[in-house]
Amino acid sequence: MTLHCEPCASCHSEAWQRVVEGRLRWEEQSYCTAPQTAFQWCDGGWGPPPPRVRERIVATEGTVRLAVGGPDGVPLKAVRTMYGLALPQLREARANGLHATPVEAELLRGTRSGPRG
């Protein structure tokens, strides 16, 4: 059994996010289907994914620009809590918006009060 392989045409790698019981969950899986290889690896966690995983999700799904704060934006507290932003980062998100993955946007929009559109 081979525990790893060099990347080849039979190698597959996937990363995704979803909302589970109101919380952000990320997963990633890599495997190779080459006959001489028996390789599979997976990882996952709660909250925003590590940068390398998020980059793969963004490459596949893109981002959604969200307004932060104010009557039409997602609540500042929700953004700060989800991403663990420091106050200067939060001020920048408020001024320029936030680029969230579609699943992150879905979760953050769910925390917004008032009409949804």
Coordinates of all heavy atoms in Angstrom, one line a residue, residues 29-107:
Q29 N -11.1 16.7 1.0 CA -10.8 15.3 0.7 C -9.8 15.2 -0.5 O -10.0 15.9 -1.5 CB -12.0 14.6 0.5 CG -11.8 13.1 0.1 CD -13.2 12.4 -0.1 OE1 -14.2 12.9 0.3 NE2 -13.1 11.3 -0.7
S30 N -8.8 14.4 -0.4 CA -7.9 14.1 -1.5 C -7.8 12.6 -1.6 O -7.7 11.9 -0.6 CB -6.5 14.8 -1.2 OG -6.6 16.2 -1.2
Y31 N -7.7 12.1 -2.8 CA -7.6 10.7 -3.0 C -7.0 10.5 -4.4 O -7.1 11.3 -5.3 CB -8.9 10.0 -2.8 CG -10.0 10.4 -3.7 CD1 -10.3 9.8 -4.9 CD2 -10.8 11.5 -3.3 CE1 -11.3 10.2 -5.7 CE2 -11.8 11.9 -4.1 CZ -12.1 11.3 -5.3 OH -13.1 11.7 -6.1
C32 N -6.5 9.3 -4.6 CA -5.9 8.9 -5.9 C -6.5 7.5 -6.3 O -6.6 6.6 -5.4 CB -4.4 8.8 -5.9 SG -3.7 8.4 -7.5
T33 N -7.0 7.4 -7.5 CA -7.6 6.2 -8.0 C -6.7 5.3 -8.8 O -7.2 4.3 -9.4 CB -8.9 6.5 -8.8 OG1 -8.6 7.3 -9.9 CG2 -9.9 7.2 -7.9
A34 N -5.4 5.7 -8.9 CA -4.5 4.9 -9.7 C -4.4 3.5 -9.1 O -4.4 3.4 -7.8 CB -3.1 5.6 -9.7
P35 N -4.3 2.5 -9.9 CA -4.3 1.1 -9.4 C -3.2 0.8 -8.4 O -3.3 0.0 -7.5 CB -4.2 0.2 -10.6 CG -4.6 1.1 -11.8 CD -4.3 2.5 -11.4
Q36 N -2.0 1.4 -8.6 CA -0.9 1.1 -7.8 C -0.9 1.9 -6.5 O 0.0 1.8 -5.7 CB 0.4 1.3 -8.5 CG 0.7 2.8 -8.8 CD 0.1 3.3 -10.1 OE1 -0.8 2.7 -10.7 NE2 0.5 4.5 -10.6
T37 N -1.9 2.8 -6.3 CA -1.9 3.7 -5.2 C -3.2 3.4 -4.3 O -4.3 3.3 -4.9 CB -2.0 5.1 -5.7 OG1 -0.9 5.3 -6.5 CG2 -1.9 6.1 -4.5
A38 N -3.0 3.4 -3.0 CA -4.2 3.4 -2.1 C -4.1 4.6 -1.2 O -3.6 4.5 -0.1 CB -4.2 2.1 -1.3
F39 N -4.5 5.7 -1.7 CA -4.3 7.0 -1.0 C -5.6 7.7 -0.8 O -6.4 7.8 -1.7 CB -3.4 7.9 -1.8 CG -3.3 9.3 -1.4 CD1 -2.6 9.7 -0.3 CD2 -4.0 10.3 -2.1 CE1 -2.6 11.0 0.1 CE2 -4.0 11.6 -1.7 CZ -3.3 12.0 -0.6
Q40 N -5.9 8.1 0.4 CA -7.1 8.9 0.7 C -6.7 9.7 2.0 O -6.1 9.2 2.9 CB -8.3 8.0 1.0 CG -9.5 8.9 1.2 CD -10.8 8.1 1.3 OE1 -10.8 6.9 1.1 NE2 -11.9 8.8 1.5
W41 N -7.1 11.0 1.9 CA -6.9 11.9 3.0 C -8.1 12.8 3.2 O -8.6 13.3 2.2 CB -5.6 12.6 2.8 CG -5.2 13.6 3.8 CD1 -4.6 13.4 5.0 CD2 -5.5 15.0 3.8 NE1 -4.5 14.6 5.7 CE2 -5.0 15.6 4.9 CE3 -6.2 15.8 2.9 CZ2 -5.2 16.9 5.2 CZ3 -6.3 17.2 3.2 CH2 -5.8 17.7 4.3
C42 N -8.5 13.1 4.4 CA -9.6 14.1 4.6 C -9.3 14.9 5.9 O -8.6 14.4 6.8 CB -10.9 13.4 4.6 SG -11.1 12.1 5.9
D43 N -9.9 16.0 5.9 CA -9.8 16.9 7.1 C -11.1 17.7 7.1 O -11.8 17.8 6.1 CB -8.6 17.8 6.9 CG -8.2 18.4 8.2 OD1 -8.7 18.1 9.3 OD2 -7.3 19.3 8.2
G44 N -11.3 18.4 8.2 CA -12.5 19.2 8.3 C -12.5 19.9 9.6 O -11.7 19.6 10.5
G45 N -13.3 20.9 9.8 CA -13.4 21.7 11.0 C -14.6 22.6 11.0 O -15.3 22.7 10.0
W46 N -14.7 23.3 12.1 CA -15.8 24.3 12.3 C -15.2 25.7 12.0 O -14.1 26.0 12.4 CB -16.4 24.2 13.7 CG -17.1 22.9 13.9 CD1 -16.6 21.8 14.5 CD2 -18.4 22.5 13.4 NE1 -17.5 20.8 14.5 CE2 -18.6 21.2 13.8 CE3 -19.4 23.2 12.7 CZ2 -19.8 20.5 13.6 CZ3 -20.6 22.5 12.4 CH2 -20.8 21.2 12.9
G47 N -16.1 26.6 11.5 CA -15.7 28.0 11.3 C -15.1 28.1 9.9 O -15.1 27.2 9.1
P48 N -14.5 29.3 9.7 CA -13.8 29.5 8.4 C -12.7 28.5 8.2 O -12.0 28.1 9.1 CB -13.3 30.9 8.5 CG -14.1 31.6 9.5 CD -14.4 30.5 10.5
P49 N -12.5 28.0 6.9 CA -11.5 27.1 6.7 C -10.1 27.7 6.7 O -10.0 28.9 6.5 CB -11.8 26.5 5.3 CG -12.5 27.7 4.6 CD -13.3 28.3 5.7
P50 N -9.0 26.9 6.8 CA -7.7 27.4 6.6 C -7.5 28.1 5.3 O -8.2 27.7 4.3 CB -6.8 26.2 6.8 CG -7.6 25.1 7.3 CD -9.0 25.5 7.0
P51 N -6.6 29.0 5.1 CA -6.4 29.8 3.9 C -6.3 28.9 2.6 O -6.9 29.1 1.6 CB -5.2 30.6 4.1 CG -5.2 30.8 5.6 CD -5.7 29.6 6.2
R52 N -5.5 27.8 2.7 CA -5.3 26.9 1.6 C -6.6 26.3 1.1 O -6.9 26.1 -0.1 CB -4.2 25.9 1.8 CG -4.6 24.9 2.9 CD -3.6 23.8 3.1 NE -3.8 23.0 4.3 CZ -4.8 22.2 4.5 NH1 -5.7 22.0 3.5 NH2 -5.0 21.6 5.7
V53 N -7.5 25.9 2.1 CA -8.8 25.3 1.8 C -9.7 26.3 1.2 O -10.4 26.1 0.2 CB -9.3 24.6 3.0 CG1 -10.7 24.0 2.7 CG2 -8.4 23.5 3.5
R54 N -9.7 27.5 1.8 CA -10.6 28.6 1.4 C -10.3 29.0 -0.1 O -11.1 29.3 -0.9 CB -10.5 29.8 2.3 CG -11.6 30.8 2.0 CD -11.7 31.8 3.1 NE -12.9 32.6 3.1 CZ -13.1 33.6 2.2 NH1 -12.1 34.0 1.4 NH2 -14.2 34.3 2.2
E55 N -9.0 29.1 -0.4 CA -8.5 29.4 -1.7 C -9.1 28.4 -2.8 O -9.6 28.8 -3.8 CB -7.0 29.4 -1.8 CG -6.4 30.6 -1.2 CD -4.9 30.5 -1.1 OE1 -4.3 29.6 -1.8 OE2 -4.3 31.3 -0.4
R56 N -9.2 27.1 -2.4 CA -9.7 26.1 -3.3 C -11.2 26.3 -3.5 O -11.8 26.2 -4.6 CB -9.3 24.7 -2.9 CG -7.9 24.5 -3.1 CD -7.3 23.2 -2.7 NE -8.2 22.1 -2.7 CZ -8.3 21.1 -1.9 NH1 -7.4 21.1 -0.8 NH2 -9.1 20.1 -2.0
I57 N -11.9 26.6 -2.4 CA -13.3 26.8 -2.4 C -13.7 28.1 -3.3 O -14.5 28.1 -4.1 CB -13.9 27.0 -1.0 CG1 -13.8 25.6 -0.2 CG2 -15.4 27.5 -1.0 CD1 -14.1 25.7 1.2
V58 N -12.9 29.2 -3.0 CA -13.1 30.4 -3.8 C -12.8 30.1 -5.3 O -13.6 30.6 -6.2 CB -12.2 31.5 -3.2 CG1 -12.2 32.7 -4.2 CG2 -12.8 32.0 -1.9
A59 N -11.8 29.4 -5.6 CA -11.5 29.1 -7.0 C -12.6 28.3 -7.7 O -12.9 28.5 -8.9 CB -10.2 28.3 -7.1
T60 N -13.3 27.5 -7.0 CA -14.5 26.7 -7.5 C -15.8 27.5 -7.5 O -16.5 27.5 -8.5 CB -14.6 25.4 -6.7 OG1 -13.4 24.7 -6.7 CG2 -15.7 24.6 -7.3
E61 N -16.1 28.2 -6.4 CA -17.4 28.8 -6.2 C -17.4 30.3 -6.3 O -18.5 30.8 -6.4 CB -17.9 28.3 -4.8 CG -18.1 26.9 -4.7 CD -18.6 26.4 -3.3 OE1 -19.0 27.3 -2.5 OE2 -18.4 25.3 -3.0
G62 N -16.3 30.9 -6.3 CA -16.3 32.4 -6.3 C -16.6 33.0 -5.0 O -16.7 32.3 -4.0
T63 N -16.8 34.3 -5.0 CA -17.2 35.0 -3.8 C -18.4 35.9 -4.0 O -18.8 36.2 -5.2 CB -16.0 35.9 -3.2 OG1 -15.7 36.9 -4.2 CG2 -14.8 35.1 -2.9
V64 N -19.0 36.3 -2.9 CA -20.2 37.2 -2.9 C -19.7 38.4 -2.1 O -19.2 38.3 -1.0 CB -21.4 36.5 -2.3 CG1 -22.5 37.5 -2.2 CG2 -21.7 35.3 -3.0
R65 N -19.9 39.6 -2.6 CA -19.6 40.8 -1.9 C -20.8 41.2 -1.0 O -21.9 41.4 -1.5 CB -19.2 42.0 -2.8 CG -18.7 43.2 -2.0 CD -18.3 44.3 -3.0 NE -17.9 45.5 -2.3 CZ -18.8 46.3 -1.7 NH1 -20.1 46.2 -1.8 NH2 -18.3 47.4 -1.1
L66 N -20.5 41.3 0.3 CA -21.5 41.6 1.3 C -21.3 43.0 1.9 O -20.1 43.3 2.2 CB -21.6 40.6 2.4 CG -21.9 39.2 2.1 CD1 -21.7 38.3 3.3 CD2 -23.3 39.1 1.5
A67 N -22.3 43.8 2.0 CA -22.2 45.0 2.8 C -22.2 44.6 4.2 O -22.8 43.7 4.7 CB -23.4 45.9 2.5
V68 N -21.4 45.4 5.0 CA -21.2 45.0 6.4 C -21.7 46.2 7.2 O -21.3 47.4 7.0 CB -19.7 44.7 6.8 CG1 -19.5 44.5 8.2 CG2 -19.2 43.5 6.0
G69 N -22.6 46.0 8.2 CA -23.1 47.0 9.1 C -24.2 47.8 8.3 O -24.5 47.6 7.1
G70 N -24.8 48.7 9.1 CA -25.8 49.6 8.5 C -27.1 48.8 8.3 O -27.2 47.6 8.5
P71 N -28.2 49.5 7.8 CA -29.5 48.8 7.7 C -29.5 47.7 6.6 O -30.4 46.8 6.8 CB -30.4 50.0 7.3 CG -29.5 51.0 6.7 CD -28.2 50.9 7.4
D72 N -28.7 47.7 5.6 CA -28.7 46.7 4.6 C -27.6 45.7 4.6 O -27.5 44.8 3.8 CB -28.7 47.4 3.2 CG -30.0 48.2 3.0 OD1 -31.1 47.8 3.5 OD2 -29.8 49.3 2.4
G73 N -26.7 45.9 5.6 CA -25.6 45.0 5.7 C -25.7 43.9 6.8 O -26.6 44.0 7.6
V74 N -24.8 43.0 6.7 CA -24.8 41.9 7.8 C -24.3 42.6 9.0 O -23.5 43.5 9.0 CB -23.9 40.7 7.3 CG1 -24.6 40.0 6.1 CG2 -22.5 41.1 7.1
P75 N -24.7 42.1 10.2 CA -24.3 42.7 11.5 C -22.8 42.6 11.7 O -22.2 41.6 11.4 CB -25.1 41.9 12.5 CG -26.2 41.3 11.8 CD -25.7 41.0 10.4
L76 N -22.3 43.7 12.2 CA -20.9 43.7 12.6 C -20.5 42.6 13.5 O -19.4 42.0 13.3 CB -20.5 45.1 13.2 CG -20.6 46.3 12.3 CD1 -20.5 47.6 13.1 CD2 -19.6 46.3 11.2
K77 N -21.3 42.4 14.5 CA -20.9 41.3 15.5 C -20.8 39.9 14.8 O -20.0 39.2 15.1 CB -22.0 41.3 16.6 CG -21.6 40.3 17.7 CD -22.6 40.3 18.8 CE -22.2 39.2 19.8 NZ -23.1 39.2 20.9
A78 N -21.8 39.7 13.9 CA -21.7 38.4 13.2 C -20.5 38.2 12.3 O -19.8 37.1 12.3 CB -23.0 38.2 12.3
V79 N -20.1 39.3 11.7 CA -18.8 39.2 10.8 C -17.6 39.1 11.7 O -16.7 38.2 11.5 CB -18.7 40.5 10.0 CG1 -17.4 40.6 9.3 CG2 -19.8 40.6 9.0
R80 N -17.6 39.8 12.8 CA -16.4 39.7 13.7 C -16.3 38.4 14.4 O -15.3 37.8 14.5 CB -16.5 40.8 14.8 CG -15.3 40.9 15.6 CD -15.2 42.0 16.6 NE -13.9 42.1 17.2 CZ -13.7 42.8 18.3 NH1 -14.6 43.5 18.8 NH2 -12.5 42.8 18.8
T81 N -17.5 37.8 14.7 CA -17.5 36.5 15.4 C -17.1 35.4 14.4 O -16.3 34.5 14.7 CB -18.9 36.2 15.9 OG1 -19.2 37.2 16.9 CG2 -19.0 34.8 16.6
M82 N -17.6 35.4 13.2 CA -17.3 34.4 12.2 C -15.8 34.4 11.8 O -15.2 33.3 11.8 CB -18.2 34.5 10.9 CG -17.8 33.4 9.9 SD -18.8 33.5 8.4 CE -20.3 32.8 8.9
Y83 N -15.3 35.5 11.5 CA -13.9 35.6 11.0 C -12.9 35.9 12.0 O -11.7 35.9 11.7 CB -13.9 36.6 9.8 CG -14.7 36.2 8.6 CD1 -15.9 36.9 8.4 CD2 -14.3 35.2 7.8 CE1 -16.7 36.5 7.3 CE2 -15.1 34.8 6.7 CZ -16.2 35.5 6.4 OH -17.0 35.2 5.4
G84 N -13.3 36.3 13.2 CA -12.3 36.6 14.3 C -11.5 37.9 13.9 O -10.3 38.0 14.2
L85 N -12.2 38.8 13.3 CA -11.5 40.1 12.9 C -11.2 41.0 14.0 O -12.0 41.1 15.0 CB -12.4 40.8 11.9 CG -12.9 40.1 10.6 CD1 -13.7 41.0 9.8 CD2 -11.6 39.7 9.8
A86 N -10.0 41.6 13.9 CA -9.6 42.7 14.8 C -10.4 43.9 14.4 O -10.9 44.0 13.3 CB -8.1 42.9 14.8
L87 N -10.5 44.9 15.3 CA -11.3 46.2 15.0 C -10.8 46.8 13.7 O -11.7 47.3 12.9 CB -11.2 47.1 16.1 CG -12.1 46.6 17.3 CD1 -11.9 47.6 18.5 CD2 -13.5 46.5 16.9
P88 N -9.5 47.0 13.4 CA -9.1 47.6 12.1 C -9.6 46.8 10.9 O -10.0 47.4 9.9 CB -7.6 47.6 12.1 CG -7.2 47.6 13.6 CD -8.3 46.8 14.2
Q89 N -9.6 45.5 11.0 CA -10.1 44.7 9.9 C -11.6 44.8 9.7 O -12.1 44.9 8.6 CB -9.8 43.2 10.1 CG -8.3 42.9 10.1 CD -8.0 41.5 10.6 OE1 -8.5 41.1 11.7 NE2 -7.2 40.7 9.9
L90 N -12.3 44.9 10.8 CA -13.7 45.1 10.8 C -14.1 46.5 10.2 O -15.1 46.6 9.4 CB -14.3 45.0 12.2 CG -15.8 44.9 12.4 CD1 -16.4 43.7 11.6 CD2 -16.2 44.8 13.8
R91 N -13.3 47.5 10.6 CA -13.6 48.8 10.0 C -13.4 48.8 8.5 O -14.2 49.4 7.7 CB -12.6 49.9 10.6 CG -13.1 50.5 11.9 CD -12.4 51.7 12.3 NE -11.0 51.4 12.7 CZ -10.6 51.0 13.9 NH1 -11.5 50.9 14.9 NH2 -9.4 50.8 14.2
E92 N -12.4 48.1 8.0 CA -12.1 47.9 6.6 C -13.3 47.2 5.9 O -13.7 47.6 4.8 CB -10.8 47.2 6.3 CG -10.6 47.2 4.8 CD -9.2 46.7 4.5 OE1 -8.2 47.0 5.2 OE2 -9.0 46.0 3.4
A93 N -13.8 46.1 6.5 CA -14.9 45.4 6.0 C -16.1 46.3 5.9 O -16.9 46.3 4.9 CB -15.2 44.1 6.8
R94 N -16.3 47.1 6.9 CA -17.5 48.0 6.9 C -17.3 49.1 5.8 O -18.3 49.4 5.1 CB -17.6 48.8 8.3 CG -18.6 49.8 8.3 CD -19.6 49.6 9.5 NE -20.4 50.7 9.8 CZ -21.5 51.0 9.2 NH1 -22.0 50.3 8.2 NH2 -22.3 52.0 9.5
A95 N -16.2 49.5 5.6 CA -15.9 50.6 4.6 C -16.0 50.0 3.1 O -16.5 50.6 2.2 CB -14.6 51.2 4.8
N96 N -15.4 48.8 3.0 CA -15.3 48.2 1.6 C -16.1 47.0 1.3 O -16.0 46.5 0.2 CB -13.8 47.9 1.4 CG -12.9 49.1 1.5 OD1 -13.2 50.2 1.0 ND2 -11.8 49.0 2.3
G97 N -16.8 46.5 2.2 CA -17.6 45.3 2.0 C -16.7 44.0 2.3 O -15.5 44.2 2.6
L98 N -17.3 42.9 2.3 CA -16.6 41.7 2.6 C -16.8 40.7 1.5 O -17.9 40.5 1.0 CB -17.2 41.1 3.9 CG -16.7 39.8 4.4 CD1 -15.3 39.9 5.0 CD2 -17.7 39.2 5.5
H99 N -15.8 40.0 1.1 CA -15.9 39.0 0.0 C -16.0 37.6 0.7 O -15.0 37.1 1.3 CB -14.7 39.0 -0.9 CG -14.7 40.3 -1.7 ND1 -15.4 40.4 -2.9 CD2 -14.0 41.5 -1.5 CE1 -15.2 41.6 -3.4 NE2 -14.4 42.3 -2.6
A100 N -17.2 37.1 0.8 CA -17.5 35.8 1.4 C -17.7 34.7 0.4 O -18.2 35.0 -0.7 CB -18.7 36.0 2.3
T101 N -17.5 33.5 0.8 CA -17.9 32.4 -0.1 C -19.4 32.4 -0.1 O -20.1 32.9 0.8 CB -17.4 31.1 0.4 OG1 -18.0 30.7 1.6 CG2 -15.8 31.1 0.5
P102 N -20.1 31.7 -1.1 CA -21.5 31.6 -1.1 C -22.1 31.0 0.2 O -23.1 31.5 0.7 CB -21.8 30.8 -2.3 CG -20.7 31.0 -3.2 CD -19.5 31.2 -2.3
V103 N -21.5 30.0 0.8 CA -22.0 29.4 2.0 C -21.8 30.4 3.2 O -22.7 30.5 4.0 CB -21.3 28.1 2.3 CG1 -21.7 27.5 3.6 CG2 -21.7 27.1 1.1
E104 N -20.6 31.1 3.3 CA -20.4 32.1 4.3 C -21.5 33.2 4.2 O -22.1 33.6 5.2 CB -19.0 32.6 4.2 CG -17.9 31.7 4.5 CD -16.6 32.1 4.1 OE1 -16.4 33.2 3.4 OE2 -15.6 31.4 4.4
A105 N -21.8 33.6 3.0 CA -22.8 34.6 2.8 C -24.1 34.2 3.2 O -24.9 34.9 3.8 CB -22.8 35.1 1.3
E106 N -24.5 32.9 2.9 CA -25.8 32.4 3.3 C -25.9 32.4 4.8 O -26.9 32.8 5.3 CB -25.9 30.9 2.8 CG -27.1 30.2 3.3 CD -27.0 28.7 3.0 OE1 -26.4 28.3 2.0 OE2 -27.5 27.9 3.8
L107 N -24.9 32.0 5.5 CA -24.9 32.0 7.0 C -25.0 33.4 7.5 O -25.8 33.7 8.4 CB -23.7 31.2 7.5 CG -23.6 31.1 9.0 CD1 -24.9 30.4 9.6 CD2 -22.4 30.4 9.4

